[in-house]
């Protein structure tokens, strides 16, 4: 471009201004400067789609002919019911803060290749009495992640903030392959950080889960905000 401009200035006189001779010489100058120089092709700029936060209500399904309600208590209370109530509270709280949120079913077709800012699936543990230590919550991330450090950060945020909000203990020693290899983890886009949380046991933690659902949901929301805002979680807080 500088070469062409310089050439134009040398040709700039009343005799040849806008003459055929000037235009021909300018064109030849542009050609000689462009030989062997690739013409840059700039991509069309498109807006990056705004990614939602995905919240899965574990075991919830609108298809009542083909679903698994999860744990079922003697009085008929199902894990599905508890999970959905908590998930809906989380959905409402995040939406009120201005986030775009997808409230998803257990086998939601949108989970296939799901791409979002993050994905959290909400579950609960058994109704059966399994001893006095069967109380507390669990959090696990997927075995396979495109960005394992992001999944770990999401998991650590949920552990820290949920524990602080609810006062419950992290029941790490009962995390199983059913959590780390959870089917939803294999369906979503691996670029999406994902975690599963079991917010309590439906036996010893039942009263807290049912009577203080708002606090349970707030603990999950705090964990998500910790991740979204890149807040610190010290190892001493784990």
């Amino acid at each position: 471009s500088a070469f062409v401009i310089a050439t134009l200035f040398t040709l700039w006189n009343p005799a040849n201004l806008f003459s055929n001779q000037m235009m021909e010489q300018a064109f030849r100058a542009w050609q000689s400067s462009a030989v062997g120089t690739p013409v840059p092709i700039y991509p069309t700029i498109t807006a990056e789609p705004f990614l939602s936060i995905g919240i899965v209500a574990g075991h919830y399904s609108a298809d009542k002919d083909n679903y698994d309600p999860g744990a079922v208590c003697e009085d008929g209370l199902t894990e599905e019911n508890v999970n959905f109530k908590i998930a809906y509270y989380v959905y409402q709280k995040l939406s009120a803060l201005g986030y775009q949120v997808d409230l998803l079913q257990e086998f939601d077709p949108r989970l296939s290749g799901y791409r979002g800012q993050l994905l959290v699936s909400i579950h609960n543990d058994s109704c059966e009495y399994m001893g006095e230590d069967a109380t507390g919550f669990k959090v696990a991330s997927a075995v396979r992640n495109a960005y394992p450090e992001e999944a770990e950060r999401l998991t650590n945020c949920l552990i820290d903030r949920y524990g602080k909000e609810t006062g419950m203990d992290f029941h790490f020693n009962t995390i199983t392959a059913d959590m780390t290899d959870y089917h939803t983890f294999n369906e979503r886009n691996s670029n999406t950080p994902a975690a599963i949380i079991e917010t309590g046991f439906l036996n010893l933690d039942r009263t807290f889960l049912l009577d203080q659902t708002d606090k349970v949901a707030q603990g999950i929301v705090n964990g998500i905000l910790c991740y979204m805002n890149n807040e610190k979680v010290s190892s001493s807080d784990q």
Side-chain angles (χ1 to χ4, degrees), residues 37-146:
T37 303
V39 178
I41 301 175
Y42 298 101
T44 303
I45 299 175
T46 55
E48 177 71 17
F50 185 81
L51 300 179
S52 299
I53 293 173
I55 302 296
V56 179
H59 295 285
Y60 175 73
S61 175
D63 181 7
K64 298 302 179 183
D65 295 327
N66 183 26
Y67 85 110
D68 171 13
V72 180
C73 303
E74 291 183 356
D75 63 352
L77 178 70
T78 66
E79 181 190 349
E80 176 197 23
N81 296 142
V82 179
N83 295 344
F84 180 80
K85 183 178 179 182
I86 296 169
Y88 187 69
Y89 275 38
V90 171
Y91 166 80
Q92 287 184 314
K93 288 175 178 289
L94 289 172
S95 297
L97 292 173
Y99 289 98
Q100 182 173 310
V101 187
D102 294 325
L103 184 58
L104 304 162
Q105 300 178 42
E106 177 72 31
F107 294 101
D108 201 301
R110 290 174 291 173
L111 285 170
S112 178
Y114 185 83
R115 186 166 176 235
Q117 297 192 56
L118 59 89
L119 181 71
V120 174
S121 186
I122 298 172
H123 289 256
N124 276 281
D125 213 318
S126 177
C127 295
E128 297 179 13
Y129 177 75
M130 296 182 290
E132 290 301 311
D133 62 340
T135 177
F137 70 98
K138 294 177 277 189
V139 184
S141 60
V143 173
R144 291 173 291 278
N145 286 286

Side-chain angles (χ1 to χ4, degrees), residues 1 3-4 7 24-37:
S1 298
F3 180 79
V4 172
T7 303
E24 182 179 356
Q25 291 182 24
F27 180 72
R28 287 178 180 174
W30 175 81
Q31 279 188 317
S32 63
S33 66
V35 171
T37 303

Side-chain angles (χ1 to χ4, degrees), residues 140-219:
S141 60
V143 173
R144 291 173 291 278
N145 286 286
Y147 302 99
E149 68 282 358
E150 290 299 306
E152 181 181 6
R153 189 164 67 84
L154 173 60
T155 300
N156 289 339
C157 274
L158 286 167
I159 293 170
D160 180 71
R161 300 303 195 262
Y162 185 82
K164 287 179 176 177
E165 179 67 28
T166 63
M168 299 176 75
D169 293 327
F170 178 42
H171 210 272
F172 65 90
N173 60 326
T174 57
I175 292 175
T176 66
D178 288 338
M179 296 182 69
T180 57
D181 202 28
Y182 176 52
H183 75 88
T184 295
F185 291 158
N186 300 323
E187 294 172 21
R188 97 317 182 182
N189 186 306
S190 63
N191 289 332
T192 302
I196 180 173
I197 180 170
E198 293 197 354
T199 61
F201 288 77
L202 291 175
N203 189 289
L204 296 182
D205 299 321
R206 172 176 171 144
T207 300
F208 178 79
L209 295 169
L210 297 182
D211 294 349
Q212 300 194 53
T213 308
D214 187 78
K215 183 176 283 292
V216 172
Q218 189 62 53

